[in-house]
Amino acid sequence: MIKIELTLAEQPFTLMLSGQKIVQIFHRNQAIAFDTPREHYYQFSHEQQLIGIDSSAVNEQGLALFVNHEFATQLTLPAVNHEAPKKGLLGLAALGFKLFKSAKVIKVALAGASVAGYAWLFSIEFALMLIACLVVHEYGHVRAMKYFGIKTKGIYLIPFVGGLAVSDDKITTRWQDVVISLMGPAFGLFTSVLGVVLYYATEMEIFAGVAVLSALLNLFNLLPILPLDGGHVLKSISFSMRSWVGLSVCLLGVLFGLWLSYTFGLMLLVFFLFIGALEIVFEWRGRHTSHLLPLDKYGQGFSAVMYALVVAGHVAVMMHFADSENAILSLPVKILSS
């Protein structure tokens, strides 16, 4: 990957190239959208003008610049900036995580350990309900990834932590991050609603338990805290506004998470907060070279509405059983009201 700094029409632009292919274009540290009408030719709109860049002569240190489809000038490329890969403990951790993802046999072992662990803590019925809710939630993430053409490694169940949908590719836009993050809780909402329907059809409380458990798990996942799904939605919206806005909002999410963990004694949440803090650091350090296309104002508002609707759906399911004589069914609402 090659990083090139240019000045076009007295405005600073940054090009990220891989060979003769332009991967991303930035203006004032913000990614901008561009089209590729033909090979090695890229165009985008800037100040009501159509800017075209021909990269076919990159190997000869040249770029051809076009304005409104007319040739403007031939640019001589400055010295390229080859970014060296960062090494250290974090790099080793990333390598270890990739090795973990490639070991498919671990899926079965983790699933078995999850069922056994939850059955030992509670009961086999509760364990099976919990695993079903987790699988449906993670399947929502997987379906969203496949919709965007992102290759996946599948679903991993992690004992006493939850589940993880692992991708084999990187996302390229903030919108993809929002949709993939929200599809897990959205599929979980389908599970909750189905549980309510089956409860009234059969009068079996186990289906009500599935509905309430699914709502509680997914509502927890929608907390605006990284690396939870709600935190990813919040990060995509806030970092699309400004980098400093994204940093400030995500740090507020960390403080909110610390307050929750202290108030309710949620030590597992502290573990999530540590991972989320690392993600915030990486996002901030890479803000100038991020390849993610930001959300426009319409996308920011639509993402916020989608998030609010999914949250409201899960709260409605929990409120539906608020007056239940069964202490388990009414417990989530008591937690919320506290």
Side-chain angles (χ1 to χ4, degrees):
M1 189 72 70
I2 300 175
K3 178 181 178 182
I4 299 176
E5 305 284 351
L6 295 176
T7 300
L8 305 177
E10 299 183 354
Q11 296 290 327
F13 287 86
T14 301
L15 307 182
M16 302 297 293
L17 289 89
S18 177
Q20 292 179 303
K21 180 179 180 182
I22 296 179
V23 178
Q24 189 59 276
I25 302 175
F26 297 90
H27 176 237
R28 298 190 184 279
N29 301 326
Q30 293 292 328
I32 58 177
F34 60 88
D35 298 320
T36 310
R38 62 179 184 271
E39 187 178 9
H40 304 316
Y41 187 82
Y42 307 84
Q43 62 183 22
F44 60 93
S45 297
H46 177 67
E47 294 184 350
Q48 299 181 346
Q49 290 185 321
L50 188 62
I51 308 298
I53 300 176
D54 189 333
S55 63
S56 57
V58 164
N59 294 335
E60 288 76 35
Q61 297 297 105
L63 278 179
L65 177 65
F66 295 79
V67 178
N68 297 327
H69 301 293
E70 296 184 1
F71 177 78
T73 184
Q74 183 77 17
L75 301 176
T76 301
L77 296 182
V80 297
N81 179 17
H82 295 275
E83 296 186 349
K86 298 179 181 180
K87 301 180 179 179
L89 294 178
L90 295 178
L92 293 176
L95 177 60
F97 184 66
K98 289 183 179 179
L99 292 175
F100 168 77
K101 292 194 298 182
S102 65
K104 294 183 178 180
V105 69
I106 295 182
K107 288 183 182 180
V108 178
L110 287 175
S114 296
V115 173
Y118 297 132
W120 174 68
L121 277 179
F122 305 103
S123 66
I124 185 63
E125 292 83 2
F126 180 87
L128 293 176
M129 285 194 303
L130 181 58
I131 293 300
C133 293
L134 291 174
V135 169
V136 171
H137 175 99
E138 299 304 332
Y139 180 71
H141 293 315
V142 170
R143 288 302 304 170
M145 292 176 190
K146 290 183 177 179
Y147 173 79
F148 288 115
I150 299 174
K151 297 180 181 179
T152 64
K153 288 285 189 179
I155 298 171
Y156 289 81
L157 296 174
I158 305 175
F160 309 115
V161 175
L164 184 65
V166 181
S167 65
D168 208 18
D169 294 327
K170 292 182 178 181
I171 61 175
T172 56
T173 67
R174 299 284 186 189
W175 173 244
Q176 290 178 352
D177 194 18
V178 169
V179 174
I180 292 172
S181 299
L182 283 179
M183 279 303 101
F187 270 61
L189 183 57
F190 295 150
T191 303
S192 298
V193 173
L194 180 61
V196 174
V197 173
L198 292 176
Y199 168 67
Y200 283 107
T202 64
E203 296 185 355
M204 297 176 62
E205 285 194 341
I206 187 172
F207 292 118
V210 169
V212 172
L213 180 61
S214 175
L216 182 61
L217 286 175
N218 285 281
L219 198 59
F220 174 79
N221 235 288
L222 286 167
L223 287 174
I225 301 168
L226 285 169
L228 301 179
D229 294 332
H232 276 278
V233 175
L234 184 72
K235 180 187 72 174
S236 293
I237 295 175
S238 57
F239 268 93
S240 294
M241 297 176 182
R242 291 287 188 276
S243 295
W244 66 266
V245 173
L247 177 65
S248 302
V249 172
C250 289
L251 289 178
L252 287 175
V254 172
L255 294 177
F256 174 64
L258 289 174
W259 175 80
L260 278 181
S261 61
Y262 174 77
T263 303
F264 296 101
L266 302 176
M267 294 307 298
L268 179 60
L269 186 57
V270 176
F271 170 73
F272 286 140
L273 289 171
F274 174 73
I275 297 177
L278 291 179
E279 187 170 346
I280 295 171
V281 171
F282 293 150
E283 187 77 27
W284 176 253
R285 291 182 62 182
R287 65 192 184 279
H288 296 313
T289 57
S290 176
H291 65 286
L292 296 178
L293 190 67
L295 296 166
D296 55 20
K297 290 185 178 180
Y298 173 79
Q300 295 166 20
F302 190 72
S303 299
V305 171
M306 288 173 56
Y307 173 80
L309 289 175
V310 177
V311 169
H314 286 294
V315 172
V317 171
M318 294 167 60
M319 292 295 294
H320 184 74
F321 295 100
D323 298 327
S324 173
E325 296 180 358
N326 188 313
I328 299 299
L329 297 181
S330 60
L331 178 61
V333 173
K334 293 178 181 178
I335 294 176
L336 286 179
S337 63
S338 67

